[in-house]
Amino acid sequence: MYTQAMDVGPKEERKALRSAEEAQLEQRFDERIDAGGLIEAKDWMPDHYRKTLVRQISQHAHSEIVGMLPEGNWVTRAPTLKRKTILLAKIQDEAGHGLYLYSAAETLGVSRDELLAALHSGKAKYSSIFNYPTLTWADVGVIGWLVDGAAIMNQVPLTRCSYAPYARAMVRICREESFHQRQGFDALNVMMREGTPAQRDMVQDAVNRWWWPSLMMFGPPDAESVHGTQSTRWGIKRISNDDLRQKFIDATAQQADVLGVSLPDPLLKWNEARGHYDFGPIDWAEFWRVVGGHGACNQERLAARVKAWDDGAWVREAALAHARKQHTKEQAA
Amino acid sequence: MNTPTAKNEWPLWEVFVRPKAGLEHKHCGSLHAPDAKMALQMAREVYARRQEGTSIWVLPSSQITASDPGDKDMYFDPMEDKVYRHPTFYELPQAVDHM
């Protein structure tokens, strides 16, 4: 899973360069980026590049971690043992993705504790898609199909990101993400093919609720994107929000036909001249409302993370105390 | 041996996985763990959920000594003009050129 909120953050003014030496370093850095070069953790990088990446990678990590919560809601109520084991494996993957990404962010000189503190205080964002509730079992399938589908669209270009530790984490994540999307489609497909009318309605209802939030995952329109231009300049962002969104809609509209569900957009229509689907206006006011903390589950999600962290404190402390004790014993021996 | 720090954060470990028998271990990422035993256990959960490996090494990140990227030119570029270190430098008679 993944974040759109990467494009959402406080607007930071770029500081004026301090010295001629720094200007030269930055010029060399820009040339390297232009030549398609990759940046490693210990390489010189502009302060703003570092900050942008810390924000983006940590928001991405937070999204993976928070993303476990809507699905976790259905672990004990999955309809069969097969679906339950699949769901557990998927949720474990999300935890893994969060951990790869936290590690990548830490290579930039920020600590895990600082990153988590920023999430827990509400300072750092995570993808607003996870602030929507999972009301039925069909939501779990739709999250796989649409939410993870949108995530894959977003994440594949990140495997070519100029910051190599992030790009490497993304390669690993993308490889695993495909399972997430396919299992979601499969779960829905079974309900549509073999289910009762009520189950089919349930699938349609879930699609209706998740369609627009999924489109919002690609972030604000290019014209309004705060960080887009600079991120593109630096090779962090390779494809624009609007282009990715269009690509997702084109792919998904056909999958919806195969599944036998309709997408809740009366203006959705194939445009032969453009070679793309046209689609209706997105309610950006809703997007900003949810990003701003007023979605259905913002408080619940954050509270669950803070509680897990606080409740786990004694385990972290005990493990560390044990390690120190063993270490002292070995020293003495 | 890794010294658990005074900080409350678990120390950082680098994880190396041997993808299959006969291949070398390859760096695949890092993780936080209180000690070596837990680091190994966690490495399995984080980096080998799909049979990615047959063997795992973990070692404390603080124990790695790395070359300085600033020295890259000085370290590696002089090798560029040592073409005679490569087999293709030598033109042999056709009859024995598969050597």
Side-chain angles (χ1 to χ4, degrees):
Chain A
M1 263 186 218
Y2 166 76
T3 168
Q4 99 284 319
M6 56 192 258
D7 269 5
V8 181
K11 207 168 187 168
E12 288 155 18
E13 291 306 321
R14 298 195 60 190
K15 267 185 282 172
L17 292 178
R18 279 188 298 273
S19 65
E21 190 198 3
E22 201 168 327
Q24 201 190 10
L25 284 168
E26 177 143 357
Q27 196 198 335
R28 222 179 291 158
F29 178 88
D30 285 346
E31 285 165 9
R32 196 159 156 198
I33 297 278
D34 291 341
L38 296 171
I39 309 301
E40 292 287 348
K42 296 280 158 58
D43 294 336
W44 186 90
M45 60 186 86
D47 205 35
H48 197 65
Y49 177 83
R50 185 184 300 274
K51 269 195 196 151
T52 300
L53 279 166
V54 168
R55 189 188 60 241
Q56 175 168 335
I57 301 172
S58 64
Q59 284 180 355
H60 195 164
H62 298 328
S63 301
E64 301 285 352
I65 297 299
V66 175
M68 291 191 281
L69 298 170
E71 300 188 308
N73 185 32
W74 283 91
V75 169
T76 57
R77 290 175 289 163
T80 64
L81 183 59
K82 175 182 138 187
R83 294 290 168 196
K84 186 174 180 163
T85 50
I86 290 170
L87 185 57
L88 279 170
K90 180 178 190 297
I91 293 171
Q92 196 190 13
D93 276 355
E94 311 296 2
H97 297 177
L99 294 176
Y100 309 153
L101 289 163
Y102 281 130
S103 295
E106 286 172 81
T107 62
L108 291 158
V110 60
S111 78
R112 180 76 58 96
D113 280 358
E114 286 173 283
L115 295 171
L116 291 176
L119 171 68
H120 297 160
S121 71
K123 191 172 144 241
K125 300 278 180 217
Y126 55 86
S127 180
S128 58
I129 193 82
F130 305 122
N131 290 320
Y132 291 87
T134 40
L135 302 178
T136 69
W137 169 251
D139 288 33
V140 174
V142 170
I143 284 178
W145 174 41
L146 295 181
V147 176
D148 290 311
I152 292 170
M153 282 290 172
N154 253 325
Q155 291 179 141
V156 168
L158 287 173
T159 61
R160 294 182 287 118
C161 168
S162 63
Y163 188 58
Y166 189 27
R168 286 194 289 266
M170 292 317 304
V171 168
R172 193 172 279 278
I173 289 174
C174 286
R175 217 161 36 207
E176 297 175 350
E177 204 75 58
S178 169
F179 143 62
H180 296 184
Q181 191 186 18
R182 291 175 69 100
Q183 66 79 35
F185 193 92
D186 178 65
L188 298 175
N189 200 33
V190 166
M191 282 191 275
M192 293 306 286
R193 299 278 164 271
E194 300 161 29
T196 63
Q199 284 171 322
R200 282 195 291 275
D201 289 348
M202 186 170 79
V203 172
Q204 183 63 58
D205 168 66
V207 170
N208 292 347
R209 282 182 289 107
W210 288 94
W211 174 248
W212 292 106
S214 299
L215 298 189
M216 294 175 195
M217 285 178 70
F218 296 93
D222 294 344
E224 295 167 28
S225 183
V226 186
H227 300 286
T229 323
Q230 185 61 62
S231 289
T232 305
R233 170 68 190 82
W234 275 332
I236 297 172
K237 194 167 180 55
R238 299 286 189 189
I239 306 179
S240 83
N241 292 354
D242 286 337
D243 288 350
L244 285 169
R245 189 166 14 245
Q246 182 70 61
K247 216 172 144 192
F248 174 74
I249 291 169
D250 291 346
T252 320
Q254 291 171 11
Q255 292 162 1
D257 288 340
V258 175
L259 200 53
V261 294
S262 64
L263 297 172
D265 179 357
L267 298 176
L268 187 76
K269 194 167 176 274
W270 177 252
N271 182 328
E272 191 66 50
R274 284 206 311 132
H276 293 292
Y277 280 86
D278 289 336
F279 55 98
I282 295 172
D283 182 2
W284 291 110
E286 175 185 324
F287 171 76
W288 291 113
R289 205 160 51 239
V290 178
V291 170
H294 304 290
C297 302
N298 294 57
Q299 288 178 17
E300 186 188 327
R301 300 291 186 238
L302 202 54
R305 283 314 312 155
V306 172
K307 183 177 187 303
W309 178 253
D310 290 346
D311 288 355
W314 72 271
V315 179
R316 294 192 300 277
E317 285 161 20
L320 203 53
H322 175 73
R324 283 183 183 136
K325 209 158 122 188
Q326 293 300 114
H327 181 67
T328 315
K329 247 193 229 168
E330 278 167 33
Q331 295 291 90
Chain B
M1 172 64 208
N2 194 31
T3 312
T5 55
K7 281 196 318 176
N8 273 329
E9 203 173 84
W10 286 352
L12 195 64
W13 301 73
E14 299 304 318
V15 180
F16 299 80
V17 171
R18 184 199 297 285
K20 61 181 187 183
L23 296 180
E24 59 273 72
H25 285 77
K26 197 177 156 202
H27 183 244
C28 73
S30 51
L31 52 79
H32 289 274
D35 55 33
K37 197 175 154 193
M38 286 297 288
L40 207 51
Q41 183 66 40
M42 287 165 160
R44 175 198 172 261
E45 299 297 334
V46 178
Y47 292 105
R49 288 194 298 283
R50 291 182 175 79
Q51 289 185 301
E52 285 91 341
T54 58
S55 160
I56 300 177
W57 289 346
V58 291
L59 73 119
S61 308
S62 60
Q63 296 296 306
I64 291 181
T65 308
S67 63
D68 183 341
D71 292 341
K72 186 177 152 283
D73 298 352
M74 192 175 80
Y75 253 68
F76 302 108
D77 286 359
M79 301 306 151
E80 203 177 26
D81 52 19
K82 295 184 172 53
V83 284
Y84 50 83
R85 295 192 172 189
H86 297 280
T88 45
F89 178 72
Y90 304 92
E91 270 182 44
L92 301 188
Q94 193 85 49
V96 293
D97 204 25
H98 57 273
M99 187 187 285

